[in-house]
Every structure is written in C-alpha cells, then in structure tokens.
Amino acid sequence: MTEFALIGRYFQPPPMHAETIKGVGDDCALVELAAHQRLAVSMDTLVAGRHFPDAAAPADIARRVFCTTISDLAAVGAEPRWLTLGLTLPTVDHPWLAAFSQSLLGLCADYGCELIGGDTTQGPLSITAQVHGVVSSEAFLRRDAARPGDQLWVTGTLGDGAAALAMLQGACDFSGAHQGYLHQRFYCPRPQIIAGMHLLHHAHAAIDISDGLLADLQHIATASAVDIHLDIQCLPLSDACRSVPLALARQWALTGGDDYQLAFTLDPAQVPKVEHFIRQGIMTAAPIGRVVPPAEDQSTVHCYLQGRPWSAPSRRGYQHFAP
Ligand code: ADP
Ligand code: MG
C-alpha cells in the first residue's frame, strides 16, 4: 500500500468545521479565522520506548498523544479546532493503523478538533501532533501574569501520572479498582479544556502540569518574577495515591509528570467565580498556595507544611537531555 492510499484509508476524516477551507489532500491545509480570534498552536512528540511502552496498544497511544497535546490548549484557555499529525511507522501494520486512527479520530470528534493534514514516513515508531486552537483576541492565559496577592489553585488531583507509570513499570502494586483508574489516567488524561476556557477571563496565570507541579510552577514564578508559596497539605490526591505512603504520594504529586491538570493563579476577588464553576460541575479545583513578591533575585517556589518551611524532593520534574 502506498503512503497516499494509507492516508486516504486511515487519516481522511469527514469535514468538521466551516472554517476549514481545505483539509487532508492538498499541499497545505487552509483555515479561516474570525476577526476577533487568534490562533493558539502547540506541538508534542511521543517516541516509542521513551514516552510509552513499545508494546502499548495503538488505541492507547493515540489517546495519549492527543490528550497530552491538547492539554497545552487548555493551559492558554483556547478552544481546539485543528490537528496535524506527523507519523513515523516501522511498517504498514493495518490492524495497528485501524485501531490507532479510529481512536484518534474519535477523540478529534469528541473535542471538536479536525485532522487537516500531516506527514507520514517510515522509521522507528514516533508520533508528533500539532494542535491549533482559537482564543479571543482579548484574553489568553499565560505563564507570566501571576501577581503577588494571587491565590494558587490546581484542577483535579496530582500524582496520578507518576503513580500510573510506577504501576505500568511494575514498581508499585495497586488494588484492582485503583489499577483501572490509573490506567485511564495514564492513557487518557482528561485535558482541562472546559476549565481553561472558563478561567480565561478570571485567572491571571496558568500552566498545564506536564513535567511535575514544582517544575511547572517554577515556570510561572520565573516568567512572572514572583515567589510561590505552596502548602504541601493542600495537594489534592486521588484515592489511588492515598493508598500508598503519604511521602511517596506527595513526591509523585510534586515531581511526577503527566498529570495534565491546570495550575492557575487568581485574584482573591475571583475566587467566588471559580467556586461557582466548581458547584456547577464545570471543573474540580482546590487552592494549594499563594503568590508573593520575590524574596531574592531568583523567583522561587517554596514549600510549607503546617506553616513551616518544608524541603521539597530535589528532582523537580522530567527534562530530556538533563544530566
Ligand atoms: P507533500 O508531499 O506535498 O508534503 P504528503 O505526500 O506528505 O504531501 O501528504 C499528502 C497529504 O496528506 C497532505 O495533505 C498531508 O497533509 C496529508 N497527510 C500526510 N500524512 C498524514 C497523516 N499522518 N495524517 C493526516 N494527513 C496526512
Ligand atoms: Mg507538496
């Protein structure tokens, strides 16, 4: 089967948006933006053996690549619109391609994100997804907008990504119910798109937690030139994480990656609005700290436990090429 037949068979979805002038099949995709909209663009690459186990099921891989990529749109408050896909495949494996594309296109439909193009090559399995979202030209959640006096909040629970990885690597045992939950959290993290879109006009700074809470909060602290005080007792933990020793659960919550929740800072006057969203079931979120003026030259994240300084684990999240 040729590359073009393969694309036509697996990666040519029906049209989804009126704003898509040209989708898969030409040299470029062509899309239209309304006058008051801006395009938000983000890309992620997942490499077999590095970001997911070599033997992972194709449907799970598709879910993971889609969810991790679209999470960046959530962080800026954008609404998903388009996806482009770079696919490097070792062989043309039809059952694999059928399961992968069905899973991916299903998620595309769920999130209103239309596959409009890509590139297909032969080589070791690797998948790159680029998402394109739209955001109002008046607002955009960003890392550099935290202000002293803001409260720090986080959506959902933390540490599940690391717990799931420990389970999949056989490093940690969980009971049956927790196993199912963690498998879901690993292969289908729930990108906080709805939360991001609702926070757009209320939060100051936001970031999605992909490398670990401490590492990602450090990005907000540095970009905003503020210090962040994190209250360790407030870290929201799932029942699965509560089933392991607290010190381990906290380490996962602070330094484990792949949670894909949103951390955001709020003027205290905006807290009732967020509490209203929570009551309406639009998001789950909890306060975990506050933003303060920088005490030294370097903007820093400080941890506190019962009001006392608490030393955080030294490894602050995952970085490629780190020594
Ligand atoms: P070109 O040679 O002009 O770069 P390609 O042969 O790479 O074009 O791709 C042909 C068409 O198929 C293009 O519209 C491209 O965007 C699309 N395409 C290629 N690979 C994929 C893929 N994995 N998913 C979706 N669309 C794809
Ligand atoms: Mg061309």
Side-chain angles (χ1 to χ4, degrees):
M1 172 175 262
T2 68
E3 178 193 330
F4 303 107
L6 183 157
I7 294 162
R9 178 147 158 198
Y10 297 110
F11 299 104
Q12 196 133 32
M16 188 186 288
H17 297 304
E19 300 94 321
T20 309
I21 312 299
K22 194 90 188 111
V24 171
D26 214 315
D27 287 313
C28 287
L30 197 61
V31 301
E32 189 145 310
L33 290 181
H36 63 281
Q37 285 178 338
R38 286 184 177 153
L39 193 62
V41 181
S42 181
M43 175 187 280
D44 273 295
T45 294
L46 298 193
V47 176
R50 161 112 341 200
H51 299 100
F52 57 86
D54 284 290
D60 286 340
I61 299 171
R63 273 195 285 274
R64 192 157 162 76
V65 72
F66 182 86
C67 293
T68 57
T69 310
I70 211 166
S71 173
D72 290 310
L73 291 183
V76 301
E79 187 178 341
R81 275 283 199 288
W82 300 288
L83 179 76
T84 45
L85 178 69
L87 204 51
T88 303
L89 302 168
T91 56
V92 177
D93 175 341
H94 288 288
W96 192 98
L97 279 162
F100 177 86
S101 63
Q102 193 188 14
S103 168
L104 185 75
L105 294 179
L107 283 162
C108 284
D110 290 349
Y111 282 85
C113 195
E114 183 174 2
L115 181 66
I116 52 167
D119 196 25
T120 306
T121 55
Q122 189 170 25
L125 180 62
S126 149
I127 302 147
T128 296
Q130 176 152 302
V131 282
H132 308 73
V134 293
V135 69
S136 149
S137 49
E138 273 127 54
F140 182 69
L141 295 172
R142 47 206 298 162
R143 297 177 179 191
D144 62 2
R147 296 181 204 161
D150 280 358
Q151 291 189 7
L152 173 70
W153 285 61
V154 70
T155 62
T157 56
L158 297 172
D160 293 332
L165 190 63
M167 177 184 80
L168 291 170
Q169 291 176 337
C172 202
D173 276 336
F174 288 91
S175 72
H178 296 330
Q179 282 176 23
Y181 168 81
L182 290 174
H183 190 274
Q184 272 290 109
R185 293 285 289 119
F186 188 77
Y187 283 111
C188 203
R190 295 237 169 143
Q192 297 294 306
I193 293 288
I194 303 289
M197 287 171 64
H198 279 81
L199 291 171
L200 191 57
H201 297 282
H202 303 289
H204 279 157
I207 193 166
D208 72 313
I209 302 166
S210 53
D211 295 331
L213 180 68
L214 288 177
D216 289 316
L217 288 181
Q218 184 62 54
H219 292 312
I220 289 189
T222 304
S224 302
V226 295
D227 277 4
I228 289 176
H229 287 192
L230 186 61
D231 188 345
I232 297 308
Q233 268 176 304
C234 294
L235 294 175
L237 301 172
S238 65
D239 288 345
C241 279
R242 286 185 186 283
S243 76
V244 305
L246 187 57
L248 181 58
R250 281 184 176 152
Q251 184 179 343
W252 283 341
L254 290 168
T255 66
D258 296 337
D259 278 327
Y260 302 105
Q261 299 295 341
L262 297 183
F264 55 96
T265 79
L266 277 183
D267 186 299
Q270 296 291 337
V271 168
K273 193 78 206 176
V274 169
E275 288 172 339
H276 172 72
F277 292 149
I278 294 169
R279 276 195 304 276
Q280 285 196 314
I282 289 169
M283 62 179 77
T284 61
I288 57 168
R290 60 204 175 91
V291 179
V292 301
E296 298 160 25
D297 283 352
Q298 280 180 329
S299 306
T300 314
V301 180
H302 301 278
C303 296
Y304 288 86
L305 183 62
Q306 287 167 334
R308 296 220 179 93
W310 183 85
S311 41
S314 58
R315 190 175 163 272
R316 290 198 162 198
Y318 185 80
Q319 284 183 41
H320 288 272
F321 306 118

